[in-house]
Amino acid sequence: MRAVELGFGGYNSVYRVELAGWDEAVVLRVAPEAGVQFGSERGLMRNEYASLPWLAGIAELMPRVLAVDWSHEVVDRDWMIQSCLPGVPAPEQLGRYPRAGRTTFFRQLGAIARTVHDVRGPHFGRPGGPAYASWSEVVIASLTQIADDIEQVGLDASDVREAVALAAEHRATLDEVREPRLLTGDLWTVNCLLDADAPEPRISGVLDFDRTEFGDPAADWTIRMAQAKDDEREAFWQSYGDLDRSPDATRRAAIYEARHLAAIRLERYRLGKHETVKESYDAMAKVLAVGRDEFHADTQ
């Protein structure tokens, strides 16, 4: 047996394993020990497994699950074995194409996101639970848990608490989202594989759907990143379709951005990026200021 740790894994430990007697390598993903998982990130691998039936529309791009084990009898962690997809991580391969040609990649990514977001779920919240009756409950519970996690490691979470208060005060705006649609969680370039021999970018695989949830597609990380720059990623919208730009959608977007920034702060702390943790406070202050202005304008 031969095992090689793979890069780009920000949460789980991921290994490419060659087994004696097997023609093809497999991928072993091992979750962090339960005792070191933040409350907002607990059970993510189990959530991904629960989401698989809902991701049938893109199953041909996903690895097959060969085995899972939540018993902790073999090792004291959750683990999953998947088929090993062919392809090169998009962060390594995408830069080899001319900039103008990368629109092909983002157009494909938009189509994948559209397929996922068109799936209607049975409840709000993660496929693996807990289930919520309304979207506002999910957003408030998520922000509250992240704030608890941030304080648990000794950081200031007062701005995240302010985001909780803003979401609670404007539940009605969040609850205009009445259909729970499937969100990818954090699908973007780092979660894509490209065909190494294709003359233009061709997505050959998509990975890591452990943060899926049912809610407002506009709250998905994919949507955030597609709007982050005015560059070739604008091709994303050609296949995805138009984004809701109504005043209420803009107000919800401010709360979603606060949730993204809170989660980013926690991840940066976990990865030891302490300087960028500090930067997150300025970014959050700007977002909360925008959020207050947006909701204040609604009352005028």
Side-chain angles (χ1 to χ4, degrees):
M1 184 181 79
R2 181 173 177 266
V4 178
E5 187 166 11
L6 301 177
F8 300 107
Y11 187 72
N12 299 307
S13 299
V14 185
Y15 306 89
R16 184 180 187 276
V17 181
E18 297 176 2
L19 299 171
W22 284 62
D23 294 334
E24 298 180 356
V26 298
V27 171
L28 169 65
R29 297 169 64 207
V30 184
E33 294 180 12
V36 301
Q37 294 181 29
F38 292 123
S40 59
E41 297 180 325
R42 191 164 291 126
L44 291 183
M45 187 176 290
R46 301 185 188 198
N47 182 65
E48 177 173 349
Y49 189 65
S51 74
L52 292 179
W54 302 97
L55 292 164
I58 59 169
E60 64 180 11
L61 292 172
M62 297 176 62
R64 289 178 294 110
V65 175
L66 305 176
V68 296
D69 184 4
W70 318 142
S71 71
H72 294 194
E73 291 181 359
V74 179
V75 293
D76 191 24
R77 304 187 191 187
D78 291 350
W79 54 267
M80 176 185 291
I81 296 176
Q82 297 174 302
S83 60
C84 187
L85 295 178
V88 180
E92 294 180 7
Q93 181 77 0
L94 202 53
R96 298 175 187 174
Y97 295 101
R99 243 185 140 77
R102 298 177 204 171
T103 55
T104 303
F105 169 81
F106 289 105
R107 200 173 297 114
Q108 292 171 72
L109 195 58
I112 292 168
R114 179 79 274 165
T115 299
V116 175
H117 289 172
D118 280 346
V119 175
R120 191 184 190 284
H123 60 257
F124 289 99
R126 289 177 176 169
Y132 295 89
S134 69
W135 176 232
S136 65
E137 291 179 84
V138 175
V139 175
I140 292 168
S142 172
L143 280 165
T144 300
Q145 184 61 74
I146 295 171
D148 291 345
D149 290 339
I150 290 171
E151 290 175 347
Q152 179 184 326
V153 298
L155 296 174
D156 179 18
S158 57
D159 53 355
V160 183
R161 300 288 183 194
E162 184 177 344
V164 173
L166 187 66
E169 183 179 354
H170 299 285
R171 282 177 179 268
T173 302
L174 289 168
D175 286 336
E176 289 179 4
V177 178
R178 294 185 174 88
E179 282 196 341
R181 298 286 180 164
L182 184 61
L183 281 61
T184 68
D186 59 1
L187 177 65
W188 197 241
T189 55
V190 72
N191 306 110
C192 295
L193 297 174
L194 298 183
D195 184 335
D197 300 319
E200 60 181 7
R202 187 181 77 81
I203 297 176
S204 60
V206 287
L207 310 165
D208 300 345
F209 288 85
D210 48 7
R211 297 177 188 267
T212 56
E213 65 179 346
F214 295 116
D216 182 2
D220 209 349
W221 178 256
T222 314
I223 298 301
R224 179 194 194 257
M225 295 304 294
Q227 299 180 87
K229 293 180 181 179
D230 295 328
D231 57 13
E232 58 270 18
R233 72 186 67 192
E234 290 186 4
F236 177 94
W237 307 107
Q238 295 173 11
S239 55
Y240 182 83
D242 295 332
L243 196 63
D244 184 358
R245 304 286 185 180
S246 67
D248 280 341
T250 301
R251 295 178 187 109
R252 287 191 292 270
I255 295 174
Y256 300 159
E257 179 62 9
R259 188 167 75 140
H260 288 312
L261 290 173
I264 288 169
R265 181 182 302 167
L266 196 61
E267 181 175 33
R268 287 173 176 174
Y269 177 87
R270 176 165 48 78
L271 297 176
K273 300 179 179 180
H274 300 300
E275 284 304 313
T276 53
V277 167
K278 296 176 183 177
E279 295 171 5
S280 72
Y281 287 92
D282 289 339
M284 181 71 86
K286 293 176 182 176
V287 168
L288 290 174
V290 169
R292 287 191 295 268
D293 289 345
E294 289 288 345
F295 282 107
H296 178 70
D298 189 39
T299 63
Q300 298 303 304

